[in-house]
Amino acid sequence: MRRLVVVGTQWGDEGKGKITDFLALHADIVVRYQGGNNAGHTVVFDGKKYSLHLLPSGILNPKIHNVMANGMVINPKAFVEEINKVSTKFNLLISDRAHVVLPYHLELDKAYEALKGSKNIGTTHKGIGPTYTDKSSRIGMRVSTFIHEERFEQSLRELIREKNAELKLLNHPLLDFDAIFNEYKVYAKVMAPYVTDTSLYLNLAIESDKKILFEGAQGVLLCLDHGTYPFVTSSSPTASSVPLNTGIAPWLVEGAIGVTKAYTTRVGSGPMPSEIHGDLATQIRTVGNEFGTTTGRPRRIGWLDTVILRHTKRVSGLSYLAVTLLDVLTGIDELKIAVNYTLDGVIIDRIPAEIEDFERCVPNYITMPGWSEDITGVKSYEDLPFNAKKYLEKIVELIGVPIGMFSVGPDRNQTIMVKDIF
Ligand code: GDP
Ligand code: IMO
Ligand code: MG
């Protein structure tokens, strides 16, 4: 495949950064197509760990061309901080149609979360929801306006007047136009040289047969349309959103690799039927270092849930799976896998649209024997212990998608290709 989407199949943090970085060794271009710095993608190689939030995971490889596409929302301050941390030379293009996250978006995100009280979504407080809301309401600011100083000034002045009225109603501190304008016009100057029509660029690249990876943020269960609404993010991480979010034809996307954690995690609020508590959850959280890359929050832990994975296969499309963090399950005697749910006495194999119904779903499990051998140095599928192979085979059987690769540790070289997919 020459144009492959890296999609998170669960609630995010499946290891998309690691898989993108690994596959990028064979790519010409890496494209981030949605979300903003709510994402936290970890890449580890040569003994160093990098946390990327806005920049595509090809940024650390000087041979790769990186694109931040129109579907993204970009916080200019976070952008400047992040590029300043990249010490090597890099290639980057930013879509002139991407939207800009401004300080009032962060304030509104916090204010609305506070207003929801115990029913909050548990957002990352990065202003993502309010920025996409403004985009849909047609009062957002595109990158093309942001980098044009006069237009930015005029637009920001009007917007701050409106947003201050909203913040006042919410009893939230108000914002000062001059302070924001003076700070952000400096960021605009840093961003400007990277800005272009990235749809044009990508279509030309495809015409010259470049190999492209589309790197999703979040996971399909956080999709605004197909996720566990309202406990979702405000964009679509599905492979099917790539054409819209990048400006290419749908038939130019050749396939998707679904990055799937060998168990389940979730940060933020909302139902998670296969969630577990107690010592085993603590063990998995500790061994897997399951703390948010963006917010540092402890991640909720659960057994692998194949109902959500079949849902992801349907609504996004998955050609292969990349099963990650398999090593974290080493030493657990029995591994459970959720195969369906019981809702009000009826067995179902789907995610109900109503969140109250999803909350009442009780998972039904099968149990697989675990393994105790250290697998962190495994170099091929054949090297895996018998029970680890059986666990992977069961996943393939239950989801109906072949395993393209798997991973046994955070480092780039702890990734094993099973199929020649890219
Ligand atoms: P992303 O948001 O999908 O890119 O995932 P994150 O980077 O937020 O979270 C994945 C975490 O798991 C990071 O700390 C990675 O370094 C780590 N990781 C990725 N693959 C593996 C693996 O196979 N084994 C272990 N132990 N850690 C992994
Ligand atoms: P990566 O790309 C995990 C979650 C938040 C919250 C919900 C809405 O690293 O996998 P938002 O700030 O987007 O409005 O929050 O979505 N969330 C993520 N959870 N990984 C992410 O990104 C996430 N991005 C957002 O915790 O529940
Ligand atoms: Mg993450």
Side-chain angles (χ1 to χ4, degrees):
M1 270 185 255
R2 300 195 68 78
R3 291 176 292 279
L4 181 69
V5 187
V6 178
V7 60
T9 61
Q10 295 153 317
W11 277 286
D13 303 327
E14 300 91 348
K16 298 174 294 293
K18 178 189 154 134
I19 296 299
T20 305
D21 165 71
F22 180 82
L23 291 173
L25 297 171
H26 311 280
D28 298 302
I29 302 170
V30 177
V31 185
R32 260 286 301 270
Y33 59 90
Q34 40 73 235
N37 63 334
N38 48 349
H41 294 184
T42 315
V43 172
V44 182
F45 61 90
D46 293 343
K48 283 205 192 110
K49 179 170 158 175
Y50 305 86
S51 297
L52 300 167
H53 300 281
L54 282 168
L55 299 176
S57 295
I59 201 80
L60 303 164
N61 182 339
K63 287 193 209 135
I64 303 279
H65 288 252
N66 295 275
V67 173
M68 297 166 72
N70 57 282
M72 283 193 77
V73 289
I74 303 170
N75 176 327
K77 182 178 182 160
F79 170 78
V80 172
E81 283 168 7
E82 207 168 318
I83 52 165
N84 283 342
K85 281 194 202 142
V86 182
S87 51
T88 46
K89 271 189 84 168
F90 60 87
N91 297 295
L92 178 68
L93 295 174
I94 301 173
S95 168
D96 48 10
R97 287 160 171 82
H99 276 246
V100 177
V101 181
L102 289 161
Y104 49 78
H105 293 123
L106 282 85
E107 296 309 317
L108 287 166
D109 195 353
K110 284 181 219 151
Y112 279 114
E113 280 286 273
L115 202 64
K116 289 194 181 94
S118 61
K119 292 193 169 155
N120 69 15
I121 293 166
T123 73
T124 57
H125 287 180
K126 301 291 182 192
I128 305 300
T131 309
Y132 279 116
T133 302
D134 280 2
K135 176 178 175 177
S136 301
S137 302
R138 295 156 295 176
I139 52 164
M141 192 180 297
R142 282 177 157 190
V143 167
S144 54
T145 307
F146 177 62
I147 60 168
H148 188 293
E149 197 167 303
E150 279 155 44
R151 290 180 196 148
F152 170 48
E153 180 174 9
Q154 193 188 354
S155 178
L156 185 73
R157 199 182 289 281
E158 282 164 25
L159 283 165
I160 288 204
R161 200 180 310 124
E162 282 172 30
K163 297 296 177 182
N164 272 343
E166 194 176 346
L167 287 168
K168 200 169 168 193
L169 285 175
L170 293 162
N171 282 326
H172 205 82
L174 306 190
L175 297 167
D176 175 48
F177 164 80
D178 288 318
I180 296 174
F181 178 64
N182 288 327
E183 182 182 351
Y184 277 68
K185 69 181 183 190
V186 180
Y187 304 142
K189 288 221 157 52
V190 181
M191 254 169 104
Y194 303 106
V195 176
T196 190
D197 183 332
T198 53
S199 162
L200 268 179
Y201 170 80
L202 287 172
N203 278 281
L204 284 172
I206 292 169
E207 272 172 33
S208 46
D209 208 27
K210 298 284 186 221
K211 282 184 87 175
I212 307 179
L213 277 177
F214 297 93
E215 177 184 14
Q218 292 82 50
V220 170
L221 272 292
L222 290 171
C223 171
L224 184 59
D225 279 77
H226 297 291
T228 49
Y229 192 89
F231 297 101
V232 293
T233 191
S234 298
S235 65
S236 177
T238 59
S240 42
S241 84
V242 168
L244 178 69
N245 284 325
T246 62
I248 65 166
W251 43 87
L252 295 174
V253 174
E254 295 187 335
I257 180 136
V259 187
T260 304
K261 203 173 265 195
Y263 46 96
T264 309
T265 59
R266 177 164 201 172
V267 258
S269 329
M272 179 182 174
S274 67
E275 184 166 14
I276 53 175
H277 300 279
D279 291 348
L280 186 57
T282 307
Q283 178 188 323
I284 292 176
R285 186 177 300 113
T286 309
V287 178
N289 190 24
E290 293 293 2
F291 296 89
T293 314
T294 299
T295 57
R297 290 178 291 179
R299 295 177 183 145
R300 297 157 65 192
I301 309 289
W303 294 117
L304 189 77
D305 181 341
T306 59
V307 180
I308 71 167
L309 294 168
R310 284 188 294 275
H311 173 87
T312 291
K313 177 189 164 189
R314 277 192 303 275
V315 302
S316 166
L318 297 177
S319 323
Y320 295 99
L321 297 179
V323 178
T324 54
L325 292 106
L326 192 61
D327 53 299
V328 177
L329 298 181
T330 300
I332 301 174
D333 290 344
E334 285 195 329
L335 302 168
K336 289 188 181 181
I337 301 179
V339 290
N340 53 37
Y341 304 144
T342 300
L343 174 63
D344 301 334
V346 179
I347 291 187
I348 60 165
D349 180 22
R350 61 183 175 83
I351 297 178
E354 278 298 298
I355 208 72
E356 287 79 9
D357 294 337
F358 190 39
E359 256 158 15
R360 285 184 295 109
C361 284
V362 179
N364 299 306
Y365 293 106
I366 56 164
T367 300
M368 302 287 294
W371 60 90
S372 55
E373 299 90 333
D374 178 4
I375 59 169
T376 54
V378 156
K379 295 285 173 222
S380 72
Y381 185 81
E382 288 66 39
D383 287 351
L384 282 172
F386 180 79
N387 287 348
K389 280 189 215 154
K390 286 280 156 218
Y391 187 70
L392 292 181
E393 281 163 20
K394 188 50 90 178
I395 296 174
V396 173
E397 179 192 319
L398 289 169
I399 306 168
V401 179
I403 288 176
M405 55 202 288
F406 67 96
S407 113
V408 291
D411 198 274
R412 189 188 269 174
N413 64 22
Q414 288 171 300
T415 318
I416 295 103
M417 292 294 278
V418 178
K419 296 242 162 59
D420 184 17
I421 54 178
F422 185 68

